[in-house]
Amino acid sequence: MGAWTQLFPPSPHFTEAQTPSLAGKVFIITGGNSGVGFELAKILYFKGGRVYVAGRSATKIATAIEDIKAEAASMPSATAGQLQSLIIDLGNLSSIAPCVADFLAKESRLDVLFNNAGLSRQPPGSVTTQGHEIHMGTNCLGPYLLTKLLLPILTKTAASALENSVRVVFTSSGIIDMAGPPGGVSFAELEPGKHSDDMNRNYSGSKAGNWFLASEFDRRYAKEGIVAVVQNPGTLRTPGWNGTPWIMRALMAPIFQPPKMGAYTELWAGLSPDIKSGDGQKFIIPWGRWNTTPKKEHLASLKSKKEGGTGLAEEFFDYCEAQTKEFAA
């Protein structure tokens, strides 16, 4: 399946109608106060889940929670769960351990971590608090560390949960099929002072990195009962396009879909019974399907050198560990 079917996908087949009661389940959604994350939070909350909306702004999170509760009050069919806030800045590694500590002080289980938040189209030269290229730092290093620190509670939950139900969902993009470094990620371009001047190349590298992380977490922690997958939510009308030139937005307007459609992609990735351990090397496309024709260079990156691949995903996972380990305490 090429770019065409990702731009014009068939109707979703896993929506609120197929979602069972989520009473007793606990979820974290990074970026849950806007866009796709906000729509996903509504679905999970309306089905009785306990949802942690994670983001940088306490004010924006509080407003989102108020809006969701107000909508639930007007829906007789909704079986409302609970909504909680978590403060995290994925572009500042120092904020992640305190966020996890806050969550662990309140919860004894975590069923699904949705690494939904991310940024795109940031000007060349932009960096995170720790000086990493801003797309790679925010979209990969932050989610890597968050996932790592939540592994103990995910493992604990998996010990008593249904098989394959405890998951980590990473967020990629269809741009990896159209732009980006060979194989998906260029380590040379991650070095300080050597970042690419092409914002799309930087963004694509981070989105390929998300697939690599999903594949490696899925492979490395399968024995703990954790499933990790990656998904492209779709071409959506979200704030991420706000900085795009108006002419591009005008050209893209006919294929933009509302954020709720992207939420259906993430919903399938997080809850569908069709997903199992070992699916981390696959790629989910809108609105909840497998990409049956991924690029061969990406598949080679996912395989170790012993398996006949390039080992790029394994190397990238280790890179993320090295860059974040001092912030894990």
Side-chain angles (χ1 to χ4, degrees):
M1 297 180 185
W4 185 261
T5 189
Q6 296 192 55
L7 291 174
F8 300 98
S11 298
H13 58 91
F14 194 89
T15 67
E16 299 92 337
Q18 288 75 38
T19 304
S21 169
L22 300 176
K25 303 282 188 179
V26 179
F27 307 91
I28 294 177
I29 307 173
T30 62
N33 58 282
S34 67
V36 175
F38 177 73
E39 296 297 332
L40 178 62
K42 288 198 294 185
I43 296 173
L44 301 179
Y45 173 70
F46 293 164
K47 287 292 183 175
R50 188 153 67 252
V51 183
Y52 282 78
V53 178
R56 291 177 294 179
S57 168
T59 301
K60 291 181 179 179
I61 293 172
T63 299
I65 288 176
E66 289 177 7
D67 291 344
I68 294 173
K69 288 182 176 179
E71 185 171 338
S74 65
M75 297 174 58
S77 61
T79 305
Q82 298 178 41
L83 291 165
Q84 302 284 342
S85 67
L86 283 176
I87 304 303
I88 189 171
D89 180 356
L90 292 169
N92 181 358
L93 296 172
S94 297
S95 78
I96 296 176
C99 170
V100 172
D102 183 22
F103 175 78
L104 295 178
K106 301 173 183 176
E107 296 294 342
S108 59
R109 70 178 294 128
L110 175 60
D111 293 271
V112 185
L113 166 62
F114 289 95
N115 284 314
N116 164 78
L119 48 72
S120 63
R121 300 190 59 79
Q122 299 301 298
S126 300
V127 296
T128 65
T129 302
Q130 283 74 36
H132 299 285
E133 194 284 316
I134 196 164
H135 299 90
M136 189 60 70
T138 305
N139 297 347
C140 291
L141 296 181
Y144 168 84
L145 182 58
L146 177 63
T147 303
K148 173 186 173 180
L149 295 180
L150 288 169
L151 285 173
I153 193 170
L154 288 165
T155 300
K156 178 183 176 182
T157 306
S160 60
L162 290 176
E163 186 178 9
N164 297 321
S165 67
V166 175
R167 300 179 189 175
V168 179
V169 178
F170 287 88
T171 301
S172 188
S173 167
I175 196 173
I176 67 172
D177 289 332
M178 298 176 278
V185 170
S186 168
F187 288 105
E189 293 174 11
L190 298 183
E191 296 180 14
K194 297 183 180 180
H195 303 159
S196 172
D197 291 331
D198 183 343
M199 69 175 71
N200 290 319
R201 183 180 176 93
N202 291 329
Y203 175 61
S204 179
S206 73
K207 295 291 97 178
N210 289 140
W211 190 2
F212 295 171
L213 291 179
S215 177
E216 286 297 304
F217 271 114
D218 189 62
R219 180 178 67 82
R220 297 181 188 217
Y221 296 96
K223 62 182 180 298
E224 277 80 21
I226 299 169
V227 176
V229 291
V230 71
Q231 48 82 38
N232 164 27
T235 307
L236 308 163
R237 196 178 299 109
T238 63
W241 290 93
N242 289 349
T244 307
W246 72 268
I247 185 65
M248 180 176 292
R249 293 200 303 271
L251 291 172
M252 295 288 287
I255 61 174
F256 277 147
Q257 296 287 338
K260 187 171 187 178
M261 300 303 287
Y264 288 148
T265 310
E266 295 199 20
L267 189 70
W268 190 77
L271 297 179
S272 172
D274 295 335
I275 292 174
K276 62 186 184 305
S277 178
D279 284 339
Q281 292 198 354
K282 299 180 181 179
F283 192 89
I284 297 168
I285 59 175
W287 310 116
R289 301 172 290 152
W290 297 115
N291 183 359
T292 58
T293 56
K295 292 180 73 172
K296 292 182 179 179
E297 65 183 90
H298 292 148
L299 295 180
S301 296
L302 296 174
K303 293 181 179 180
S304 67
K305 291 181 179 179
K306 291 182 179 180
E307 297 170 318
T310 65
L312 192 59
E314 184 176 15
E315 188 178 357
F316 182 71
F317 188 97
D318 293 340
Y319 165 83
C320 291
E321 170 62 20
Q323 297 302 313
T324 62
K325 61 182 179 181
E326 69 177 284
F327 300 95

